[in-house]
Amino acid sequence: MEHNSSNFIRNIIKEDLDSGKRNHVITRFPPEPNGYLHIGHAKSIVINFDLADEFNGRTNLRFDDTNPLKEDSEYVHAIKEDVQWLGYDWDGLFFASDYFQEMYERAVLLIKKGKAYVDDLSPDEIREYRGTLTEPGKDSPYRDRSIEENLELFERMRKGEFENGEKVLRAKIDMSSPNINLRDPVIYRISHAEHHNTGDQWCIYPMYAFAHPLEDAIEDVTHSICTTEFEDQRPLYNWIVEECEMQSTPQQIEFGRLNITNAVMSKRKLKQLVDEGFVDGWDDPRMPTISGLRRRGYTPEAIRTFVRETGVSKGSGHVDSQMLDYFVREDLKMKAPRTMGILRPLKVVITNYPEGQVEMLDAEINPENPEMGTRQIPFSREIYIEREDFMENPPKKYFRLFPGNEVRLKHAYFIKCEDVIKDEDGNVVEIHCTYDPETKSGTGFTGRKVKGTLHWVEATQAVPAEFRLYEPLLSTDDPEELEEETEKTFLDQVNPNSLQVLKGFVEPNMNDVSAQDKFQFFRHGYFNVDPKDTAKDNLVFNLIVSLKSSFKL
């Protein structure tokens, strides 16, 4: 199996099965529906689904929807789409809100056991009483309420008799514990808010730290895989499963989260970029969201390979975003048809080519994959070349077009620059050249050699296109570290050159492209047909990755 490389989580699961501690494997991917998924979530998706797949287990997709103020069904739909696009099918689809009644009953059980109490302290007071890493907390004055009083107050909370923030339910554990998570954590709060799944059925909602272990136990999850920021919460996770007397006992295992350079991995910060108009929505091709990567043209195969190659460990370092680009190139190298696109057009007139004549030339679709065959491209007296491929007064070792110099046109002929046409401001607007009919590509001509090969598009049939070129959205490798060390926020690091829009031309056969089709434009890079803005009369190509990088695996 392609993804069975060894890692410490895999070894734990294998040992559990070999020892008889477990006789089956169930994992889950548990996103909160309060934003779109990003590349960091892709790691969690791949790990959970791959491990279950390897051990013939099951993986649930479960929405941790315990906070109605931040959640939306739009996010639920987007998350489902992303998981499926990455190539995975869940075995069960669940919502935390499916279990609200059972969670409520388990909370009542804790109260009856003297393990939970209703507290009237304000959020600020609770924080103050909690203590610090070096000082123990102190008991709330409401900690010793009777079981009967707590049951009555909790029932009244459930009925909506109190305002938001007026009361909470707290677990009664240990206010002097060295682990702050065990200092009587809040497990229920009042929130008079409409829930995307349960409407106005509830006005009290379980806290994530209480709900999450219960969800895992209800679904009989065997290995609850999460990132290392939850490691300190593992004792609370185990306490809840045990004290709520759950039949199933999931095991929480933590791995290092995936961070990539020049990107933020916080849904809150990504939402800020969207809300404040720095980007064109969650699926902006500059965003590290899965929907943004998809729109830009990254492939699910490349993302899966990237995640597997970054490995599974406890460490949470930054991975160079160029590593992801490397796997995109590797994936597209054999798949993407080659074609020619002119991003900054300059017209060339071949003065000795017959007027009105158009000939069709053969061009390979992908030289690295001959099975893809050939395509026909038109050639005539007028073509477009890249503006940067001509210089009137070139430096030494400039091998492209300049007055008196000869170059090869890819798939076509040698042409020689004879004349330069300028406008009244002295700007070059047209080049006049001659061609040598003996030099047609593929004829075996060896009479002389040229050092420069230019790409081009025939002018009369060229299809207008918009090209969107991208740089990293943020100009520093680690935006969050910079935020900590300076007074600047990550928004100060938004790269003003992250998007450049150019108007040019592509070959006429590109009239038939569909959204998400991918091509390699000769000398420019890999491009994707934008699925959102492309229309029949408005072709839009997103740069996926450049052709080359200094990055080496």
Side-chain angles (χ1 to χ4, degrees):
M1 196 173 286
E2 65 172 315
H3 45 257
N4 67 355
S5 59
S6 187
N7 66 60
F8 79 96
I9 302 178
R10 178 178 182 271
N11 295 341
I12 290 170
I13 295 175
K14 188 171 186 310
E15 206 172 290
D16 286 350
L17 292 169
D18 290 347
S19 68
K21 178 182 172 184
R22 306 276 184 192
N23 58 14
H24 65 285
V25 173
I26 298 178
T27 63
R28 82 288 171 269
F29 173 60
E32 296 171 72
N34 58 3
Y36 281 59
L37 301 181
H38 55 63
I39 186 72
H41 295 109
K43 181 162 190 168
S44 182
I45 293 168
V46 171
I47 289 172
N48 277 288
F49 280 91
D50 278 3
L51 284 169
D53 181 40
E54 182 182 347
F55 292 104
N56 298 314
R58 303 201 309 274
T59 302
N60 295 337
L61 173 61
R62 181 220 303 143
F63 291 94
D64 259 317
D65 56 346
T66 57
N67 186 356
L69 295 175
K70 292 187 175 178
E71 293 158 359
D72 197 297
S73 51
E74 174 198 346
Y75 300 136
V76 171
H77 174 76
I79 289 168
K80 288 182 187 173
E81 191 177 13
D82 288 347
V83 173
Q84 288 177 318
W85 177 77
L86 278 172
Y88 296 106
D89 289 314
W90 50 84
D91 291 282
L93 177 65
F94 301 111
F95 292 83
S97 51
D98 296 338
Y99 315 134
F100 279 170
Q101 182 60 37
E102 178 162 357
M103 289 175 186
Y104 176 76
E105 289 166 9
R106 300 286 171 174
V108 169
L109 173 65
L110 288 181
I111 295 173
K112 287 178 176 174
K113 291 170 70 172
K115 300 283 187 179
Y117 62 96
V118 174
D119 196 358
D120 296 5
L121 292 181
S122 70
D124 287 341
E125 289 169 329
I126 290 174
R127 231 182 331 270
E128 198 183 311
Y129 274 58
R130 185 177 287 137
T132 65
L133 291 171
T134 52
E135 295 175 4
K138 54 182 183 178
D139 289 357
S140 163
Y142 306 98
R143 195 174 197 262
D144 294 324
R145 276 177 162 153
S146 69
I147 290 173
E148 291 70 31
E149 186 182 2
N150 282 319
L151 286 171
E152 184 203 345
L153 287 171
F154 191 47
E155 175 63 20
R156 288 174 63 195
M157 284 169 64
R158 163 82 175 85
K159 287 178 175 171
E161 292 183 24
F162 304 112
E163 296 299 312
N164 291 353
E166 202 176 327
K167 295 188 188 305
V168 293
L169 183 71
R170 296 176 70 176
K172 188 190 269 192
I173 309 178
D174 180 2
M175 287 306 292
S176 61
S177 171
N179 185 333
I180 287 182
N181 293 292
L182 296 178
R183 294 181 191 172
D184 292 10
V186 174
I187 57 175
Y188 262 90
R189 82 282 201 196
I190 299 167
S191 182
H192 293 275
E194 189 84 4
H195 189 283
H196 76 97
N197 207 18
T198 57
D200 59 2
Q201 194 180 337
W202 293 89
C203 62
I204 56 169
Y205 292 94
M207 301 299 286
Y208 179 89
F210 178 68
H212 192 83
L214 294 180
E215 296 155 31
D216 284 345
I218 290 166
E219 292 171 20
D220 192 24
V221 168
T222 55
H223 300 87
S224 178
I225 302 164
C226 60
T227 47
T228 46
E229 64 260 39
F230 293 100
E231 194 159 10
D232 288 345
Q233 291 199 20
R234 197 195 317 155
L236 175 59
Y237 181 102
N238 293 337
W239 185 92
I240 289 167
V241 170
E242 185 180 341
E243 293 296 343
C244 288
E245 301 176 13
M246 305 304 291
Q247 285 183 307
S248 174
T249 54
Q251 178 182 357
Q252 179 176 306
I253 309 169
E254 308 86 14
F255 68 92
R257 61 184 289 174
L258 172 63
N259 295 304
I260 61 172
T261 55
N262 304 103
V264 288
M265 294 291 166
S266 149
K267 277 195 275 191
R268 180 180 59 79
K269 289 179 177 175
L270 293 173
K271 187 173 190 300
Q272 204 175 338
L273 287 168
V274 174
D275 292 346
E276 296 185 24
F278 286 92
V279 292
D280 170 33
W282 286 93
D283 65 349
D284 186 297
R286 293 165 291 178
M287 292 277 271
T289 53
I290 294 174
S291 57
L293 295 170
R294 176 166 65 241
R295 182 176 169 193
R296 181 149 168 185
Y298 286 62
T299 62
E301 295 86 351
I303 294 172
R304 291 198 305 266
T305 306
F306 166 69
V307 165
R308 290 168 187 155
E309 288 293 326
T310 58
V312 179
S313 70
K314 286 279 190 181
S316 294
H318 270 74
V319 177
D320 193 331
S321 57
Q322 291 186 75
M323 182 178 174
L324 176 56
D325 293 349
Y326 169 86
F327 287 114
V328 175
R329 283 187 203 94
E330 286 297 297
D331 186 46
L332 292 177
K333 194 163 63 177
M334 303 296 284
K335 296 178 182 175
R338 308 302 194 253
T339 185
M340 295 191 286
I342 301 298
L343 278 56
R344 300 171 181 87
L346 176 61
K347 186 175 262 192
V348 173
V349 178
I350 303 166
T351 54
N352 63 335
Y353 193 89
E355 287 196 45
Q357 178 176 308
V358 177
E359 66 177 304
M360 301 304 288
L361 303 174
D362 267 337
E364 70 271 16
I365 290 173
N366 186 334
E368 297 195 54
N369 186 357
E371 289 180 11
M372 291 178 77
T374 59
R375 70 186 191 281
Q376 294 267 292
I377 50 175
F379 181 81
S380 75
R381 178 185 172 90
E382 294 185 2
I383 62 171
Y384 292 115
I385 64 167
E386 288 292 347
R387 192 162 284 277
E388 66 182 35
D389 285 344
F390 171 81
M391 285 185 87
E392 198 170 4
N393 301 296
K396 283 186 177 177
K397 298 198 172 175
Y398 181 84
F399 300 123
R400 299 178 212 172
L401 209 54
F402 55 86
N405 191 42
E406 192 172 41
V407 296
R408 173 184 288 285
L409 294 176
K410 179 82 171 163
H411 305 304
Y413 299 93
F414 288 12
I415 59 169
K416 184 177 181 181
C417 178
E418 308 287 0
D419 200 6
V420 181
I421 312 299
K422 300 181 181 178
D423 63 16
E424 55 197 22
D425 296 323
N427 300 311
V428 176
V429 291
E430 199 170 279
I431 309 293
H432 286 186
C433 295
T434 54
Y435 88 117
D436 181 350
E438 299 294 314
T439 59
K440 186 175 182 180
S441 193
T443 58
F445 173 79
T446 54
R448 62 190 179 279
K449 285 195 165 79
V450 291
K451 288 194 172 172
T453 298
L454 306 188
H455 62 289
W456 53 277
V457 171
E458 195 274 333
T460 63
Q461 297 181 47
V463 177
E466 180 178 301
F467 301 90
R468 296 175 181 175
L469 309 184
Y470 299 103
E471 289 180 12
L473 181 58
L474 300 174
S475 49
T476 48
D477 277 1
D478 186 352
E480 305 206 355
E481 184 184 7
L482 197 76
E483 267 194 331
E484 289 168 18
E485 295 175 358
T486 68
E487 291 182 8
K488 293 186 172 182
T489 76
F490 78 103
L491 295 175
D492 295 317
Q493 302 159 46
V494 172
N495 174 8
N497 303 315
S498 61
L499 170 63
Q500 184 182 11
V501 178
L502 300 172
K503 303 282 189 180
F505 298 98
V506 291
E507 296 178 19
N509 57 11
M510 300 292 271
N511 248 331
D512 302 327
V513 298
S514 301
Q516 300 286 20
D517 283 352
K518 292 159 184 56
F519 301 92
Q520 187 201 99
F521 284 122
F522 185 66
R523 277 185 40 213
H524 285 305
Y526 291 97
F527 283 76
N528 185 52
V529 179
D530 186 89
K532 201 169 182 180
D533 295 337
T534 292
K536 191 66 187 162
D537 55 350
N538 181 43
L539 263 181
V540 179
F541 292 94
N542 297 326
L543 174 67
I544 311 170
V545 287
S546 59
L547 287 179
K548 290 182 181 166
S549 164
S550 55
F551 181 83
K552 294 280 188 291
L553 261 190

